[in-house]
Amino acid sequence: MDLDEVFNPSSVVVVGASSDERKMGYQCVKSLVEAFDGEIYVVNPRVRRILGIDAYKSVKQIPGSVDLAIIVVPSSVVLPVVQECAEKGVKGAVIITGGFKEASAAERDASMDGELLQERLAALAEDAGMKIIGPNTFGFVNVGVINASFSPVFNGLRKGRIAMVGQSGGVCHIFAYMAMNEGIGLSKVVGLGNRCNVEFCDILEYLEEDDETDTIAMHIEGIDEPRKLMDAARRVAKRKPVVAYKVGRTRAVERAALSHTGSMAGEYKLYDAAFRQSGVVTVNSCEELFDAAKILSLCQDCLPKGRRVAIISTQAGPGIILTDECVSGGLQLARFSEETEKKLKRLLPPLTIRENPVDMAFIRDAALWLEVVRTVSADDGVDALIIFNLYHPSFLLPPEEIVDARRSYGKPLIMCTSFPHELMLKEKIKLEEGGVPVYGTPERGAKALVTLMRYAEMKRRTKGG
Amino acid sequence: MDLDEVFNPSSVVVVGASSDERKMGYQCVKSLVEAFDGEIYVVNPRVRRILGIDAYKSVKQIPGSVDLAIIVVPSSVVLPVVQECAEKGVKGAVIITGGFKEASAAERDASMDGELLQERLAALAEDAGMKIIGPNTFGFVNVGVINASFSPVFNGLRKGRIAMVGQSGGVCHIFAYMAMNEGIGLSKVVGLGNRCNVEFCDILEYLEEDDETDTIAMHIEGIDEPRKLMDAARRVAKRKPVVAYKVGRTRAVERAALSHTGSMAGEYKLYDAAFRQSGVVTVNSCEELFDAAKILSLCQDCLPKGRRVAIISTQAGPGIILTDECVSGGLQLARFSEETEKKLKRLLPPLTIRENPVDMAFIRDAALWLEVVRTVSADDGVDALIIFNLYHPSFLLPPEEIVDARRSYGKPLIMCTSFPHELMLKEKIKLEEGGVPVYGTPERGAKALVTLMRYAEMKRRTKGG
């Protein structure tokens, strides 16, 4: 059996469904009811109906076939439930319940050996040929298809081309919430939790072939077989950008990580080096993970050919910040050709700075702005453009025109603007759908561009080697 | 005359007002019409009415007295206009027009000596006893009183206690837009531009006495007399937190800064050291400037007494990130007292991690959550709390109760949550009005807490010395 049947089931059962809306067993049903088109079953021996769905007393009693089980029962009964699912022919399971390897590692409860429990779960799943996401996970979302998680709020996710895979459900949530806040689409969000028999390498292989995913973001605490992950990452990164946020720079997290998903955080630096060697982009915060995934998804068809950046700004101050950030990140200020300089001098009045960084303060004419953007884009000495815009996008830099310039010249064009979010969300989405990533501050935009340049260089090295 | 009359005028004139809505001269009038309660005059010899206000041909013709002039005429006529204002008895001016010292420095136009122009402007202002914000500025906003800028969008700012003073209007905008996006209130936003006769030190002195401001954020490119700034900063920082974002880490920005507001960016490291010695908190991005100003404003009544932080999280993954960030920032994981440990063991089931960092995954009971927060807050070994919350604030951590805990124990309590912004803005504002800063990612929250701890230590050192 294949992970595809886990991510695209026709029928789903929630075992441990609840009618108490504070419980995960209720929220899981809500996630499905609001958005899943297939057959939904719920199992709870003590309740008759949940959210309008008749409850069965056990999985066995369900009349039709079931592809995927979402299991939210106490850890002591997970194994019998999985056994029952196996007998029923269920092909995959999401086990939200905790109390497995992570509980054993923390020795939180001497009466229960979580590690042993997980081993038995793995053996059972192996016998049944059943793929298990978790245990100890929030679940997963295949956007537009199924929300197999305890977070119905994810039914508000837009469909997009970035997949997020996290060891922690919490970090998956942070990433997906950012996407919702920014109007960015995602393809899949997967919380791996304790990784009973679906590891990072398995998901990477699945996502490598997933036509809906063009970029993969990962959050990793620590795993048992890092080499398998690196091998998979190296192969996948040749086809799609992979970004990794490996936590655990300090020793203080070791214990916490162990008792989270049952794995040591491991040597941060070793992971970091191994990822870079495998062609994986590494980052150091949730925000950087999101910003990097966004630029790699939107600009992979126009990777910069070098490090020479042109900066254009509606105001000098943010232009200076862009310069500072780009240069400290290893980029170079592009030197404009004589032709470009001549044209800019003709186009722009003396009060404007007509060299790179171009300061267009006081130019309040959209046609002129566009001509400058096109002139700079056409310069062979420019590998990428980054623009700071103080105003509403429609005022000087209309999304359609900017998208057109980005497409015509095939160079990455990054837009930085912190204009009040709700007043520009529509235009921001238009820009990003057209391949122009938008960032809320000049620093974030510049950092993302640095990441893109590094990725492009890594790609060139790999091809050359 | 005093800056107070600039920031709180009874009557204002826009000279160079325009009826073309793409022009700054129109936007300045719009900023006033929408929100200023005093008398508004507009001057434009070629137009009869602008936004319902009768236009005068010159400042002289205005019948009543005028406190403040907002000047948006071409640079060649700024001096005669200021002269006329002086004769009319105008007490202060905002000169938005560029083409002064910054233009000369860049040698962008040989036909005009911007430096000389600015010297003559300064002399004229000196004679007339007129305070000038600018030239080459976006203006200023005294929130709730007057928006003397070309950005009517700032009429949407909430009134608060943070003042932002920037050398660049662009950076002022980034800061104010962030405040609008986050529902954070500001007291004043001031773009100093070329600082004809109102320098950073003057504004700092004014804000020191301003009862509406409890925290000051600054953006600095470079100034001519850094010592005067440092002297003022040292004095002001004793009474109110001051945060500075000094740009110019790379040499590439030197030229750009010079031709922006006519000042060299100067040695970044010298500034940084001098600021720290003066008791000023330094940061390295717009986001950090905003995040630091927020925590310093909201938590100045409960500065932490040491570096021992307690971490509580609805999910282990973000708890691990908080640990990583706090520890790498120099904080220590608090060791709970025996009493606290005993109480947590009694309160929490085995599946929870009952040591610091406390992992409360699977606890979905608000009363229990609150009791844990109170128990940890009461521990003498804990100097500050930081909480990651995956869910809507009302689910497990109701704002009223959290604010009450923060008040009862007098320890800083930081909340991190990236829950979809529009779904929790009301609760976020409630938390922040109650002194509990809310951050969108664990990394940002932890960084802000590190800043608060550093500030508290600086305060203790200053008192001890």
Side-chain angles (χ1 to χ4, degrees):
Chain A
M1 107 123 242
D2 186 64
L3 277 176
D4 201 46
E5 292 179 270
V6 174
F7 287 113
N8 294 288
S10 303
S11 52
V12 182
V13 60
V14 178
V15 189
S18 168
S19 52
D20 174 354
E21 62 177 80
R22 298 190 74 80
K23 297 217 163 150
M24 291 183 190
Y26 174 92
Q27 299 295 329
C28 287
V29 180
K30 190 160 183 254
S31 295
L32 289 169
V33 165
E34 285 177 4
F36 180 58
D37 273 345
E39 203 68 52
I40 305 170
Y41 302 104
V42 300
V43 168
N44 181 328
R46 290 179 307 277
V47 178
R48 282 189 48 209
R49 279 173 80 82
I50 296 169
L51 281 165
I53 302 175
D54 288 329
Y56 291 93
K57 296 215 181 303
S58 68
V59 173
K60 258 181 270 178
Q61 292 183 359
I62 297 169
S65 73
V66 177
D67 293 335
L68 179 71
I70 300 171
I71 298 172
V72 263
V73 297
S75 58
S76 56
V77 291
V78 164
L79 259 62
V81 165
V82 170
Q83 179 65 50
E84 203 189 340
C85 287
E87 286 160 15
K88 175 77 187 167
V90 174
K91 293 157 191 164
V94 169
I95 303 182
I96 289 174
T97 313
F100 290 83
K101 198 175 174 190
E102 89 286 6
S104 181
E107 294 177 292
R108 275 175 280 178
D109 185 356
S111 70
M112 164 177 78
D113 189 338
E115 187 149 6
L116 186 63
L117 202 60
Q118 185 161 331
E119 275 169 25
R120 287 170 54 201
L121 175 64
L124 193 55
E126 174 78 26
D127 283 349
M130 194 188 285
K131 288 287 176 193
I132 290 178
I133 306 286
N136 189 23
T137 178
F138 87 101
F140 73 82
V141 190
N142 181 3
V143 183
V145 177
I146 182 172
N147 176 359
S149 85
F150 61 67
S151 291
V153 68
F154 288 156
N155 291 330
L157 275 168
R158 289 163 51 90
K159 183 89 183 171
R161 300 184 57 75
I162 299 169
M164 165 69 192
V165 185
Q167 192 151 353
S168 152
V171 178
C172 286
H173 275 73
I174 294 172
F175 194 94
Y177 287 161
M178 280 185 182
M180 291 179 73
N181 280 329
E182 290 212 8
I184 284 284
L186 302 181
S187 60
K188 290 171 179 70
V189 187
V190 188
L192 291 181
N194 286 14
R195 294 147 292 117
C196 168
N197 70 6
V198 177
E199 253 295 358
F200 278 100
C201 54
D202 304 309
I203 290 283
L204 277 180
E205 276 168 19
Y206 174 68
L207 293 173
E208 181 185 2
E209 303 296 334
D210 180 24
D211 290 337
E212 294 185 331
T213 297
D214 69 14
T215 303
I216 301 162
M218 289 194 294
H219 157 264
I220 295 156
E221 285 165 5
I223 57 171
D224 299 323
E225 300 179 286
R227 176 153 306 184
K228 276 172 93 173
L229 164 60
M230 297 305 167
D231 287 345
R234 183 175 302 114
R235 211 178 43 251
V236 178
K238 285 202 178 103
R239 290 180 56 186
K240 298 175 181 182
V242 180
V243 199
Y245 176 22
K246 169 71 179 73
V247 301
R249 272 167 300 163
T250 61
R251 301 212 51 179
V253 308
E254 288 291 344
R255 194 194 55 79
L258 190 60
S259 49
H260 176 205
T261 53
S263 302
M264 292 292 283
E267 286 294 333
Y268 171 79
K269 281 182 187 168
L270 290 183
Y271 271 95
D272 196 61
F275 274 130
R276 284 164 187 263
Q277 276 170 24
S278 308
V280 171
V281 173
T282 56
V283 294
N284 280 309
S285 71
C286 294
E287 202 171 85
E288 281 178 30
L289 182 65
F290 184 81
D291 288 355
K294 184 163 86 174
I295 202 167
L296 289 166
S297 174
L298 298 183
C299 299
Q300 57 188 253
D301 65 324
C302 65
L303 292 180
K305 295 193 173 61
R307 301 187 150 219
R308 300 162 305 173
V309 61
I311 295 169
I312 313 179
S313 179
T314 56
Q315 245 75 21
I320 289 171
I321 292 175
L322 283 174
T323 306
D324 230 6
E325 286 295 331
C326 285
V327 173
S328 30
L331 307 187
Q332 296 150 6
L333 283 184
R335 244 193 113 90
F336 293 152
S337 71
E338 261 181 60
E339 198 191 328
T340 303
E341 280 193 351
K342 222 182 277 174
K343 198 159 175 201
L344 291 181
K345 283 210 170 119
R346 189 168 52 71
L347 287 171
L348 296 172
L351 250 185
T352 320
I353 302 185
R354 296 166 295 186
E355 296 158 55
N356 192 17
V358 184
D359 166 13
M360 304 260 290
F362 306 107
I363 305 291
R364 296 167 83 87
D365 173 340
L368 190 49
W369 258 93
L370 191 68
E371 185 136 12
V372 169
V373 169
R374 286 187 168 276
T375 302
V376 170
S377 298
D379 192 318
D380 284 339
V382 171
D383 299 313
L385 283 81
I386 187 161
I387 301 178
F388 176 83
N389 181 15
L390 192 69
Y391 308 103
H392 189 280
S394 302
F395 177 44
L396 295 175
L397 295 150
E400 298 77 7
E401 311 273 11
I402 293 302
V403 164
D404 186 66
R406 140 78 164 91
R407 294 241 164 99
S408 310
Y409 298 95
K411 293 178 182 176
L413 197 165
I414 320 303
M415 192 69 75
C416 303
T417 174
S418 40
F419 200 82
H421 190 254
E422 54 182 2
L423 303 180
M424 62 161 255
L425 187 57
K426 216 175 60 190
E427 288 77 10
K428 178 181 179 289
I429 290 174
K430 219 178 268 177
L431 282 164
E432 294 187 328
E433 283 179 348
V436 177
V438 181
Y439 292 96
T441 65
E443 293 93 347
R444 285 178 69 175
K447 260 191 194 141
L449 181 56
V450 168
T451 301
L452 186 72
M453 293 266 188
R454 285 193 186 143
Y455 174 75
E457 288 186 354
M458 209 153 59
K459 285 295 270 187
R460 281 198 297 274
R461 268 203 310 274
T462 319
K463 269 189 188 162
Chain B
M1 107 119 239
D2 186 64
L3 277 177
D4 201 46
E5 291 178 271
V6 173
F7 287 112
N8 293 288
S10 303
S11 53
V12 181
V13 60
V14 178
V15 189
S18 168
S19 52
D20 174 353
E21 62 176 82
R22 297 191 75 80
K23 296 214 164 154
M24 292 183 189
Y26 174 91
Q27 299 295 330
C28 287
V29 180
K30 190 160 182 254
S31 295
L32 290 169
V33 164
E34 286 178 2
F36 180 56
D37 272 347
E39 203 68 55
I40 305 169
Y41 302 105
V42 300
V43 167
N44 181 329
R46 290 178 309 278
V47 178
R48 281 189 49 209
R49 280 173 78 82
I50 295 169
L51 281 166
I53 302 174
D54 288 330
Y56 291 93
K57 295 212 179 305
S58 70
V59 174
K60 257 182 271 178
Q61 291 185 359
I62 296 170
S65 72
V66 178
D67 293 335
L68 179 72
I70 299 169
I71 298 173
V72 261
V73 297
S75 59
S76 55
V77 291
V78 164
L79 260 63
V81 165
V82 170
Q83 179 66 49
E84 203 190 341
C85 286
E87 286 161 12
K88 174 76 185 169
V90 174
K91 293 155 190 165
V94 169
I95 302 183
I96 288 173
T97 313
F100 291 82
K101 199 175 173 189
E102 89 286 5
S104 182
E107 295 178 291
R108 275 175 280 179
D109 185 356
S111 70
M112 165 178 77
D113 189 338
E115 186 149 10
L116 186 63
L117 202 62
Q118 185 161 330
E119 274 170 24
R120 287 169 56 202
L121 175 64
L124 191 57
E126 173 79 26
D127 285 350
M130 194 189 285
K131 288 287 176 195
I132 290 178
I133 306 286
N136 189 23
T137 178
F138 88 100
F140 73 82
V141 189
N142 180 3
V143 182
V145 176
I146 182 172
N147 176 359
S149 85
F150 61 65
S151 289
V153 68
F154 287 156
N155 291 329
L157 275 168
R158 289 162 53 90
K159 182 88 181 172
R161 301 185 58 74
I162 299 169
M164 165 70 193
V165 185
Q167 192 151 353
S168 152
V171 179
C172 287
H173 275 73
I174 294 173
F175 193 94
Y177 287 160
M178 279 185 184
M180 291 178 73
N181 280 330
E182 290 213 8
I184 285 283
L186 302 180
S187 60
K188 289 171 179 68
V189 186
V190 188
L192 291 180
N194 286 13
R195 295 147 291 119
C196 168
N197 69 8
V198 177
E199 252 296 359
F200 277 101
C201 54
D202 305 309
I203 290 283
L204 277 181
E205 276 168 19
Y206 173 69
L207 292 174
E208 181 184 1
E209 303 295 335
D210 180 24
D211 290 337
E212 294 185 330
T213 297
D214 69 15
T215 302
I216 301 162
M218 291 195 294
H219 156 264
I220 295 156
E221 284 165 5
I223 58 171
D224 299 325
E225 300 179 287
R227 177 152 307 186
K228 275 171 93 172
L229 164 59
M230 297 303 168
D231 287 345
R234 184 175 301 113
R235 212 177 43 250
V236 177
K238 285 202 177 101
R239 289 180 57 187
K240 299 175 181 183
V242 180
V243 198
Y245 176 22
K246 169 71 178 72
V247 300
R249 272 166 300 163
T250 61
R251 301 214 50 180
V253 308
E254 288 290 344
R255 193 195 55 78
L258 192 61
S259 50
H260 175 204
T261 53
S263 304
M264 292 292 283
E267 287 294 336
Y268 170 79
K269 281 183 186 167
L270 290 181
Y271 270 94
D272 196 59
F275 273 129
R276 283 164 186 263
Q277 276 169 26
S278 308
V280 171
V281 173
T282 56
V283 293
N284 280 312
S285 72
C286 294
E287 202 171 85
E288 281 179 29
L289 182 65
F290 184 80
D291 288 353
K294 184 163 88 174
I295 201 167
L296 289 166
S297 174
L298 297 183
C299 299
Q300 57 188 254
D301 64 325
C302 65
L303 292 181
K305 295 191 173 63
R307 301 186 150 218
R308 300 163 304 175
V309 62
I311 296 169
I312 312 179
S313 179
T314 55
Q315 245 75 20
I320 289 170
I321 293 175
L322 284 174
T323 307
D324 230 6
E325 286 295 330
C326 285
V327 172
S328 31
L331 307 188
Q332 294 149 7
L333 283 185
R335 244 193 113 90
F336 293 150
S337 70
E338 261 181 61
E339 198 191 327
T340 303
E341 280 194 351
K342 222 182 278 173
K343 200 159 174 201
L344 290 181
K345 284 213 169 118
R346 189 168 52 72
L347 287 172
L348 295 173
L351 251 185
T352 320
I353 302 187
R354 295 166 295 185
E355 296 158 54
N356 192 17
V358 183
D359 166 12
M360 304 257 290
F362 305 106
I363 305 291
R364 296 167 83 88
D365 172 341
L368 189 50
W369 258 93
L370 191 68
E371 185 137 13
V372 169
V373 169
R374 287 189 169 275
T375 302
V376 171
S377 297
D379 191 317
D380 284 340
V382 172
D383 299 312
L385 283 81
I386 187 161
I387 300 177
F388 176 82
N389 181 14
L390 192 69
Y391 307 102
H392 189 279
S394 302
F395 176 43
L396 295 175
L397 295 150
E400 299 76 9
E401 311 274 11
I402 293 301
V403 164
D404 187 66
R406 141 78 165 88
R407 293 240 164 98
S408 311
Y409 298 96
K411 293 178 182 176
L413 198 165
I414 319 305
M415 193 68 75
C416 303
T417 173
S418 41
F419 201 81
H421 190 254
E422 55 182 1
L423 303 180
M424 62 160 256
L425 188 56
K426 216 175 61 191
E427 288 77 12
K428 177 180 180 292
I429 290 174
K430 220 178 266 177
L431 283 164
E432 294 186 329
E433 283 180 348
V436 176
V438 181
Y439 292 96
T441 66
E443 295 91 346
R444 285 177 69 174
K447 260 191 194 141
L449 181 57
V450 167
T451 301
L452 186 72
M453 294 266 186
R454 284 194 186 141
Y455 175 76
E457 287 186 355
M458 209 153 58
K459 285 295 270 189
R460 282 199 296 275
R461 270 202 309 275
T462 321
K463 268 190 189 160

